Amino acid sequence: MKKRMVIFAAIAAATVFPPISAHAGEPIKAEIGTDIVSSYLWRGSRLDGPAFQPTVGLEWNGLSLSAWGSTGFSDACEVDLTLAYSIGGFTVGITDYWAASTGAKFFNFSAETLHVAEVNLGYDFGPVALNWYTNCLGAVGCTPEGAKAYASYFEVSAPFSLGGVDWSAAVGATPWANDYYGAEGFAVICASLTATKEIALGSDFSIPVFASLMANPRSEQLFFSVGVSF
């Protein structure tokens, strides 16, 4: 399993890395920040309650490497590492998801690994963005017959402004049967609406506040979360 992940990472890196010599003078950009949310919502599911979700990343000429995490008040944490390349509206990337209880070993790539590798392709047309995600290593999900399902998820999202607030509407579905998303076939599993607004805390300081309403039509569940970004 470990060997396969190393080989796949090498192929992905070779695919997304642009020629270094062509843009040697480009500056490296860095970012660091955190969200504090009332509930951790993801693709039509509530994964945790209140949580701190930090992020740090580097970007150079469309190539980015980032780390994102989520830690709440339960005995669980998550660390996600993403390597991606964007040019124009097109993005290709690979993410290593690792979610475990406190004390679990991160460098465990055996058959019982807690790592899930996911590749993604997307294109942002401006008014609408399309993204496709497929699990390729780790928990790829199974079909009802027990075969590997390579669980996938695709999403259509659209940003817009209304009433002085920035909004984003999204609909996501899993295209075929898999137990990773708990679907017996094609199923719409996420429909969300997120509003974001800058709240001024002084003449020179403001913070983004956001609220997300998320429904899962398949499971008939509805979730609501608010948060702030720093």
Side-chain angles (χ1 to χ4, degrees):
M1 178 66 181
K2 182 176 182 180
K3 183 178 180 181
R4 291 176 60 197
M5 293 191 74
V6 171
I7 292 174
F8 189 87
I11 294 173
T15 301
V16 302
F17 270 78
I20 293 177
S21 59
H23 304 278
E26 291 288 337
I28 296 176
K29 302 176 183 178
E31 68 165 336
I32 184 171
T34 189
D35 292 341
I36 302 174
V37 296
S38 61
S39 291
Y40 174 13
L41 307 182
W42 184 76
R43 298 182 186 175
S45 297
R46 182 181 183 273
L47 301 186
D48 202 353
F52 294 91
Q53 298 180 334
T55 185
V56 62
L58 297 172
E59 189 272 334
W60 174 76
N61 194 47
L63 180 70
S64 63
L65 179 64
S66 62
W68 180 92
S70 183
T71 302
F73 296 98
S74 61
D75 183 30
C77 64
E78 180 176 344
V79 179
D80 304 336
L81 306 176
T82 299
L83 175 67
Y85 179 63
S86 298
I87 182 169
F90 176 75
T91 298
V92 57
I94 180 171
T95 297
D96 172 30
Y97 295 95
W98 183 76
S101 58
T102 302
K105 295 181 179 180
F106 180 85
F107 297 99
N108 175 15
F109 299 101
S110 67
E112 293 76 32
T113 184
L114 296 174
H115 291 267
V116 178
E118 176 190 80
V119 293
N120 78 278
L121 293 171
Y123 194 86
D124 188 348
F125 294 90
V128 174
L130 306 176
N131 286 279
W132 180 285
Y133 308 86
T134 294
N135 293 5
C136 56
L137 291 172
V140 299
C142 293
T143 66
E145 295 76 27
K148 291 184 177 180
Y150 296 99
S152 297
Y153 174 84
F154 69 91
E155 186 174 84
V156 180
S157 60
F160 61 96
S161 296
L162 181 65
V165 175
D166 294 326
W167 301 79
S168 178
V171 176
T174 185
W176 49 71
N178 66 91
D179 60 3
Y180 187 84
Y181 292 109
E184 298 178 355
F186 174 89
V188 177
I189 60 173
C190 183
S192 66
L193 182 65
T194 299
T196 304
K197 184 177 178 63
E198 294 276 347
I199 304 297
L201 299 181
S203 57
D204 299 319
F205 182 69
S206 63
I207 60 172
V209 176
F210 57 90
S212 295
L213 187 66
M214 182 178 291
N216 187 325
R218 182 192 60 80
S219 64
E220 300 183 5
Q221 293 181 304
L222 181 68
F223 310 101
F224 186 71
S225 179
V226 296
V228 294
S229 299
F230 294 95

